[in-house]
Amino acid sequence: MSAEQSTVVVSQNQGETALIMMQNAPVNALSKAVRVGLIAEIEAALNNANVKVIVISSQLGLFSGGADISEFSSGNLQPNLPEVLDLIENANKPVVAVLNGPAFGGGLELALACHYRISFADNKVGLPEVNLGILPGAGGTQRLPRLTGVAQALDMIVSGKPVKAAALNGVFDLIVDDPAKLMSESQAFVAQLINDGCEIKRVKDIEIDTETAPSELFSQYRQGIAKQARGFFSPERCIQAVEAAVTLPLKDGLQKEAELFMECMRSPQARAQQHFFFAEKAAGHVSDYDKSTPVRDIKSVGIIGAGTMGGGIAMNFANAGIPVVMLELKAEALEKGLGVIRRNYENSAKKGKLSQQDLEDRMALLHGTTEYSGLADVDLVIEAVFEKMDVKKQVFTQLDAICKKGAILASNTSTLDINEIADCTSRPEDVIGLHFFSPANVMKLLEVVKGEKTSADVIKTSMQLAKKIRKVAVLVGVCFGFVGNRMIEPYGREANRMMLEGADPEHVDRVIYDFGLPMGPFTMGDMAGLDIGYFVRQSRKEHIAHDPSYAVVADRLVKDGRAGLKVGKGVYLYEAGNRKPIPDPTVAQIAKEEAEKLGVKPRKHSDEEILERCIFTLINEGAHILEEGIAAKSSDIDVIYVYGYGFPVFRGGPMQYADEVGLDKVYAAMCKYRDELGEYGKAWFEPAPLLKRLAEQGKRFADFAK
Ligand code: 3HC
Ligand code: NAI
């Protein structure tokens, strides 16, 4: 046994019990060293005549986070987990799993292969493999339905959601209420087991209870998840694996599970979703600070502007138990903003997501003021007033005068220059961008925008605070639109340009929807309000002055009073109270007129062209952003796009998608449109230097580090 194996799995004999403990920090991932260690310790216990019962548990705070995901790409899986579990299941001495903490994926499967399982009531267990684009591949799809019944197993495996041990019927032989008594009660259980003659209860001997699987269960389940599973590969394979548990003996079911597992594992979606798992963790690894960097204490927050964003932002803090002071210039605006927040909470309460007491507790944390002096004592202020530089500067000048020393001054601007805002204060090191996404109380993403002078402790405090309010924070640099909004611009531009070239908006929307986004660019534009994009374009006229065709149809629609869903007409028409877009031939006519005025030739757009022009130009902008250092790594961009823009997680984010397609292909497509689309192509399709370089070197965005 290597030194590594001997430290990640340790064993000690306590009387007639061999106690095998996993200690592979941080999460007891079942890496090769753990598997080898388990085999060695189990075999030693089986060969030791003094040992009557084997107990498997953990030295860490959790039982196991499952298979080691970082090993999947290496292919170095021998001995594989099913082999370890076979050894356990067929052992001729009882093996007891004592789950002293959460058990996920292979960790739970390890317990299911044991002959007895013990845990405490509130412990969390689950089979989250579906979130990694795969399915439980170590017997979970076959053993769990045998223990808990088909319906509950199906739901756990397909949803990937954890459940409390106490809610998992039929799986545990002993559930202890008090976690502190787990080990002593486990010892008593084992003593009784020895006393009773060491009976071995193997899951493989359990006949599946087909009454828990009526014939319509699977078809109904498929229908029930159709919407949320749209585009995903592994949920259907999860269902097929559980179906196999119902129809096949365990041995054949395990074989079927292994085939389906490998089918998933080889899919681009598994690569994408596993990439995303690590991308999300990596977003928290930031080189701007380290362990020694201090963190400021944020006990209270001020929010300026109680509009759409201010209200949502305030809810995040109230939800986390942090008091908020909201500032508006007029009492009516303040009252309106607080009223909207109350209604939002009341809606949650009606849906049973919030108790009346919680609602009142949260509202009690929200205070209003119309005086800047009301912000003198807060630890953090987030400004969410109109998107105008002069208004922002007025606000920050006042904050500088009134806020206490050490308070963090943040702006929720979606586009403006944080450095310029910071420079109107005497303390630019305390100024940062905290860019929330709408609706701010729902969307998980937070772009943390560091200015040139923002201090390391302000960055660290902001990143940690994000976790407290249950956001996923990504650190970005300053540029127009930061990462997310800057990249969305070419995407929208191409959709609009194709409409001008004669593409039906519903065709463009369908292609993007089929790719996996929640909606296409025109439906999204109508929903957000076409006037918003119009005002952005107006404020950036010099940036697009060289292209008279830039969103010309959208501009005309706004001027014609078609601002989108809120007025019942935009690119589409809407019936009152209905969000379903209805195609309107007038828009095609407007596009035709505008194209004729500008001499833009009609063009036939294939699905492929629509996808490439929208998504590859977005990716190309991502390549600029990466090389400029606005995003530190390509995976950060992926996190922003999945959490901020609904980019399908089964594609891993735009940069992972490009890596999967191959950067040579993305580059070639950019060159193709540059050359095919005349002056327009030359203006907007020049491949980013980084894309060109990596494509020529046969590399991926993921390989790029500045
Ligand atoms: N494999 C490899 N690394 C893992 C891992 C795993 N299964 N689970 C977590 N890690 C790593 C994380 O990347 C992170 O690394 P970092 O410190 O470098 O960022 C570190 O462990 C700590 O992770 P968290 O910050 O997430 O720790 P928490 O304490 O917040 O959460 C957890 C612990 C609940 C276990 C959470 O990490 C988690 O959900 N992990 C994934 C669980 C999972 O999906 N298991 C299924 C694996 S696939 C499988 O088992 C296949 C089998 O069926 C054959
Ligand atoms: P909004 O118009 O809904 O709210 C702005 C609020 O600020 C209004 O209630 C207004 O009365 C108040 N206000 C204006 N000037 C003020 C001042 N000097 N002092 C105090 N209060 C003042 O606007 P919204 O949508 O909430 O946007 C606010 C900020 O958030 C903008 O910078 C915007 O770019 C940014 N943002 C908006 C997003 C969105 O989807 N709406 C998304 C992300 C950021």
Side-chain angles (χ1 to χ4, degrees):
M1 201 189 301
S2 74
E4 196 188 353
Q5 286 151 223
S6 66
T7 56
V8 294
V9 180
V10 290
S11 174
Q12 64 181 99
N13 291 348
Q14 294 179 340
E16 293 171 315
T17 307
L19 181 58
I20 299 177
M21 302 293 263
M22 297 180 283
Q23 47 174 25
N24 186 25
V27 300
N28 268 339
L30 301 168
S31 57
K32 184 184 173 87
V34 174
R35 299 191 302 275
V36 171
L38 281 172
I39 290 177
E41 296 302 344
I42 292 164
E43 281 178 344
L46 292 174
N47 290 330
N48 184 339
N50 296 328
V51 170
K52 290 201 168 148
V53 174
I54 300 169
V55 169
I56 301 179
S57 192
S58 149
Q59 295 279 29
L60 309 183
L62 82 180
F63 182 74
S64 167
D68 187 336
I69 305 163
S70 64
E71 272 182 357
F72 288 169
S73 54
S74 73
N76 182 16
L77 298 177
Q78 297 302 327
N80 63 34
L81 191 54
E83 281 173 49
V84 183
L85 305 199
D86 259 5
L87 175 69
I88 293 173
E89 183 157 65
N90 295 319
N92 58 9
K93 296 177 183 179
V95 185
V96 182
V98 177
L99 275 58
N100 61 315
F104 294 124
L108 179 58
E109 291 174 295
L110 168 62
L112 297 176
C114 293
H115 306 132
Y116 298 92
R117 284 154 293 279
I118 302 176
S119 192
F120 57 94
D122 287 340
N123 194 19
K124 289 271 180 72
V125 297
L127 293 172
E129 285 88 339
V130 71
N131 300 322
L132 300 167
I134 54 174
L135 51 88
T141 67
Q142 307 303 299
R143 292 193 179 98
L144 187 60
R146 281 175 164 77
L147 285 164
T148 193
V150 180
Q152 188 175 24
L154 183 64
D155 196 45
M156 271 182 74
I157 291 165
V158 182
S159 74
K161 288 193 185 129
V163 295
K164 283 191 180 169
L168 192 51
N169 305 323
V171 167
F172 292 96
D173 299 276
L174 173 65
I175 295 227
V176 177
D177 283 331
D178 179 0
K181 295 194 177 140
L182 182 69
M183 279 306 170
S184 59
E185 298 212 16
S186 298
Q187 274 168 4
F189 179 94
V190 169
Q192 189 66 44
L193 187 60
I194 295 171
N195 228 11
D196 293 347
C198 292
E199 190 194 348
I200 294 179
K201 289 195 331 193
R202 296 188 174 93
V203 176
K204 71 177 177 186
D205 297 331
I206 300 174
E207 283 283 318
I208 201 142
D209 179 2
T210 46
E211 279 189 19
T212 65
S215 55
E216 66 282 4
L217 176 79
F218 292 102
S219 58
Q220 279 177 356
Y221 199 82
R222 282 189 170 92
Q223 272 173 25
I225 61 154
K227 201 168 163 205
Q228 81 224 48
R230 179 177 73 89
F232 283 88
F233 187 76
S234 65
E236 169 56 28
R237 273 83 201 158
C238 288
I239 298 176
Q240 287 174 17
V242 181
E243 277 178 323
V246 178
T247 51
L248 302 175
L250 186 81
K251 187 166 157 285
D252 298 342
L254 287 174
Q255 177 61 33
K256 180 75 184 165
E257 179 194 85
E259 286 163 21
L260 290 164
F261 178 80
M262 286 317 295
E263 197 189 337
C264 287
M265 200 59 131
R266 283 190 287 262
S267 70
Q269 292 203 358
R271 287 191 287 280
Q273 289 180 249
Q274 287 158 29
H275 157 82
F276 193 75
F277 174 83
F278 289 115
E280 191 177 339
K281 310 275 171 212
H285 300 173
V286 164
S287 59
D288 296 68
Y289 53 80
D290 59 27
K291 280 199 178 118
S292 67
T293 311
V295 177
R296 300 190 190 181
D297 206 7
I298 306 295
K299 290 209 188 86
S300 61
V301 175
I303 291 176
I304 309 188
T308 311
M309 294 305 290
I313 296 169
M315 288 175 77
N316 290 310
F317 289 99
N319 296 348
I322 300 173
V324 175
V325 184
M326 302 194 74
L327 182 140
E328 274 277 351
L329 294 182
K330 295 205 176 106
E332 308 84 75
L334 191 57
E335 219 167 278
K336 188 174 162 212
L338 287 166
V340 172
I341 296 178
R342 177 170 274 280
R343 273 199 300 287
N344 280 341
Y345 279 139
E346 281 169 356
N347 286 338
S348 299
K350 266 188 216 143
K351 290 180 195 151
K353 291 183 185 164
L354 194 70
S355 72
Q356 193 61 31
Q357 186 57 51
D358 282 345
L359 184 160
E360 295 306 337
D361 289 350
R362 289 180 197 188
M363 284 308 296
L365 289 169
L366 300 170
H367 308 279
T369 183
T370 50
E371 303 289 336
Y372 270 81
S373 56
L375 302 178
D377 289 329
V378 296
D379 301 307
L380 160 72
V381 184
I382 303 175
E383 161 280 309
V385 303
F386 301 138
E387 185 73 345
K388 291 215 166 93
M389 185 52 99
D390 54 344
V391 184
K392 305 271 188 205
K393 280 186 175 171
Q394 274 169 23
V395 168
F396 274 79
T397 308
Q398 277 165 290
L399 289 177
D400 192 23
I402 203 81
C403 288
K404 69 180 180 192
K405 191 167 169 281
I408 296 179
L409 310 182
S411 172
N412 180 50
T413 177
S414 34
T415 54
L416 300 176
D417 186 342
I418 296 291
N419 295 323
E420 201 179 329
I421 295 174
D423 281 342
C424 76
T425 72
S426 63
R427 37 175 141 172
E429 67 282 2
D430 292 339
V431 176
I432 195 161
L434 293 180
H435 182 212
F436 290 79
F437 285 67
S438 181
N441 54 320
V442 176
M443 297 294 285
K444 278 189 87 170
L445 179 66
L446 180 68
E447 277 183 335
V448 174
V449 189
K450 60 171 172 178
E452 271 162 19
K453 296 176 189 154
T454 311
S455 70
D457 64 325
V458 168
I459 299 174
K460 185 171 177 181
T461 304
S462 303
M463 296 295 285
Q464 294 198 350
L465 185 66
K467 269 198 186 149
K468 227 181 244 174
I469 58 169
R470 304 169 78 94
K471 300 287 173 201
V472 176
V474 181
L475 186 63
V476 302
V478 176
C479 65
F480 182 87
F482 315 123
V483 171
N485 286 344
R486 176 168 160 190
M487 285 170 69
I488 207 77
E489 192 190 17
Y491 165 87
R493 181 194 71 224
E494 283 314 303
N496 274 290
R497 171 73 188 197
M498 287 189 274
M499 176 161 65
L500 187 68
E501 292 166 359
D504 286 332
E506 54 274 27
H507 183 193
V508 175
D509 276 355
R510 201 239 322 130
V511 169
I512 296 299
Y513 179 78
D514 288 350
F515 178 72
L517 275 101
M519 63 186 87
F522 294 114
T523 312
M524 187 175 92
D526 270 2
M527 219 175 207
L530 294 184
D531 48 339
I532 301 217
Y534 178 80
F535 290 126
V536 174
R537 288 192 291 280
Q538 291 300 308
S539 71
R540 304 199 75 214
K541 265 189 174 154
E542 78 287 1
H543 170 74
I544 52 179
H546 64 286
D547 178 5
S549 76
Y550 197 103
V552 73
V553 182
D555 286 351
R556 168 122 172 237
L557 292 175
V558 173
K559 286 180 199 150
D560 288 356
R562 302 180 64 132
L565 177 64
K566 60 189 167 194
V567 294
K569 55 183 178 176
V571 170
Y572 298 105
L573 296 175
Y574 300 88
E575 285 168 358
N578 195 335
R579 290 165 162 244
K580 190 171 180 279
I582 304 165
D584 180 3
T586 325
V587 174
Q589 187 51 40
I590 292 173
K592 196 162 172 254
E593 284 167 25
E594 294 297 330
E596 277 164 9
K597 272 192 235 163
L598 291 163
V600 172
K601 289 201 197 84
R603 188 177 161 90
K604 273 241 154 305
H605 303 90
S606 65
D607 289 5
E608 187 187 34
E609 175 168 339
I610 290 171
L611 188 68
E612 289 179 347
R613 286 179 61 178
C614 287
I615 303 293
F616 287 2
T617 48
L618 178 149
I619 290 165
N620 195 52
E621 198 62 41
H624 283 296
I625 282 172
L626 208 50
E627 187 141 57
E628 289 167 22
I630 299 294
K633 45 195 180 301
S634 64
S635 62
D636 283 353
I637 299 178
D638 290 332
V639 174
I640 288 173
Y641 260 79
V642 169
Y643 282 133
Y645 298 82
F647 203 92
V649 67
F650 61 74
R651 308 240 181 236
M655 307 313 270
Q656 162 67 19
Y657 174 66
D659 282 345
E660 184 69 37
V661 169
L663 296 192
D664 52 341
K665 297 201 177 65
V666 179
Y667 174 70
M670 288 296 292
C671 294
K672 180 180 111 160
Y673 296 116
R674 178 194 60 197
D675 300 341
E676 267 183 17
L677 295 172
E679 286 307 308
Y680 181 84
K682 284 201 197 80
W684 297 114
F685 277 88
E686 190 55 42
L690 179 65
L691 172 62
K692 181 171 191 278
R693 218 165 56 241
L694 293 177
E696 284 169 356
Q697 293 168 353
K699 289 192 175 161
R700 299 151 42 94
F701 285 129
D703 300 324
F704 177 75
K706 244 187 138 70

